[in-house]
Amino acid sequence: MPDASGLRRLLVSNEVSVLSSNIRTMRRFFMAGGRKLSYLDFGGPGRPLLALHGHYNEASAFAPLAAALTPRWRVIALDQRGHGESDRARSYERDEYVADVAAFHRHLGVGPVAVLGHSLGGVNAYQFAARHADKVSALIVEDIGAVVDCDWSFTTRLPGVTPSREALVAALGTTAPYLECSFRQTAQGWGFSFDIADTVASQKALNGDHWNDWISVSCPTLLVHGTRSDELAADHAKDMVARCAGRVRLAELTAGHVVHHDVPAQFADAVTVFLSELC
């Protein structure tokens, strides 16, 4: 079995990849609002868990988590609009992202389901859960707040097209491992599966006060906080738990903003314990 980075590259380049001897990962597509959206079904016999990635990432970022959760859970991860193999969009507003998740759920034909989201995907997940309570049985939100104040200066400093993968890695420095699942090679060189200007637009639309949605979620919720995160402050995470009257539990892990990348085993353990107590 390839390492995590090699596995993510396989999932980008092939429609079918093998996670283990008894699990096949399938890339599939569906239409939502006239736009083609892509997703990875990591397969297996388990109950479905819908996964929503953050900015700079795509569905393949959840390959290690899917491997850790099988066979009890079958991770199905969406390439959100403008990311991965999904079409780019004219706009990236909150309601549009939530409508995409609703279309994803409808396409899969599943009933009430567990939903996990990181960062951008975390807000999309809890807004979907708040507005479609009958469709979400459990919620995992990874390192994002009920109030978001995103700084997109990092995005505008990202390199454009580089002549080689090595040059792209060198330009990104220590952040390269977090973005590598979105690396793409074209005739012009190496860049990303997302558009930089689209990402800035999406980050601007993500900013704001989303407390009404957060406190409106009715299903059991796990909030995962990276204690070294530069996105979710510890006090804000505790406030998110306190305002939800016992419905939300907090898992604090020694990690940065991308908890599932920094401490994959601990993250998978926290998700497994939470879901096993409910199901």
Side-chain angles (χ1 to χ4, degrees):
M1 180 173 177
D3 62 17
S5 61
L7 179 56
R8 284 192 288 269
R9 287 195 292 275
L10 280 173
L11 291 169
V12 167
S13 59
N14 299 296
E15 288 194 353
V16 180
S17 297
V18 177
L19 280 178
S20 70
S21 59
N22 61 343
I23 292 185
R24 287 161 57 87
T25 298
M26 302 294 297
R27 181 178 295 283
R28 297 189 171 97
F29 300 88
F30 67 102
M31 299 300 295
R35 185 172 296 102
K36 182 180 71 174
L37 297 180
S38 165
Y39 66 97
L40 290 176
D41 183 344
F42 290 95
R47 299 181 62 175
L49 169 65
L50 308 191
L52 306 172
H53 61 78
H55 285 120
Y56 318 121
N57 276 178
E58 54 189 64
S60 61
F62 291 112
L65 177 66
L69 296 185
T70 191
R72 187 165 186 182
W73 293 94
R74 171 186 174 187
V75 175
I76 310 174
L78 178 66
D79 278 342
Q80 299 189 87
R81 59 173 52 207
H83 297 79
E85 300 303 308
S86 289
D87 288 344
R88 292 178 181 173
R90 284 194 290 266
S91 63
Y92 295 86
E93 298 298 323
R94 294 285 78 236
D95 289 349
E96 294 171 322
Y97 271 115
V98 175
D100 288 347
V101 180
F104 183 40
H105 181 275
R106 187 165 55 250
H107 166 76
L108 293 173
V110 293
V113 69
V115 180
L116 179 152
H118 169 241
S119 196
L120 162 72
V123 178
N124 296 346
Y126 72 66
Q127 289 187 325
F128 175 67
R131 302 174 193 184
H132 300 272
D134 60 323
K135 297 178 173 60
V136 183
S137 59
L139 177 67
I140 301 107
V141 174
E142 180 188 351
D143 210 70
I144 196 68
V147 177
V148 180
D149 183 16
C150 182
D151 176 6
W152 50 85
S153 60
F154 169 77
T155 308
T156 58
R157 294 195 302 268
L158 288 173
V161 177
T162 62
S164 67
R165 189 179 190 279
E166 291 73 21
L168 182 57
V169 169
L172 291 170
T174 58
T175 63
Y178 296 98
L179 278 69
E180 68 173 348
C181 68
S182 296
F183 288 3
R184 291 292 190 280
Q185 183 178 22
T186 67
Q188 289 72 43
W190 281 82
F192 305 105
S193 59
F194 57 86
D195 179 83
I196 291 173
D198 286 353
T199 301
V200 171
S202 180
Q203 289 172 320
K204 289 180 177 180
L206 181 62
N207 279 355
D209 184 329
H210 308 306
W211 273 115
N212 284 343
D213 283 310
W214 175 255
I215 64 176
S216 296
V217 174
S218 57
C219 65
T221 300
L222 174 68
L223 176 62
V224 181
H225 171 230
T227 58
R228 297 198 298 263
S229 173
D230 57 2
E231 177 60 45
L232 178 60
D235 287 348
H236 186 56
K238 290 179 172 63
D239 194 19
M240 291 171 71
V241 174
R243 292 201 196 187
C244 293
R247 176 181 53 78
V248 179
R249 67 182 67 179
L250 178 64
E252 294 188 294
L253 301 178
T254 305
H257 176 52
V258 193
V259 185
H260 68 264
H261 179 279
D262 288 353
V263 288
Q266 294 94 318
F267 181 77
D269 286 346
V271 171
T272 298
V273 169
F274 170 69
L275 292 174
S276 65
E277 292 178 358
L278 301 174
C279 306

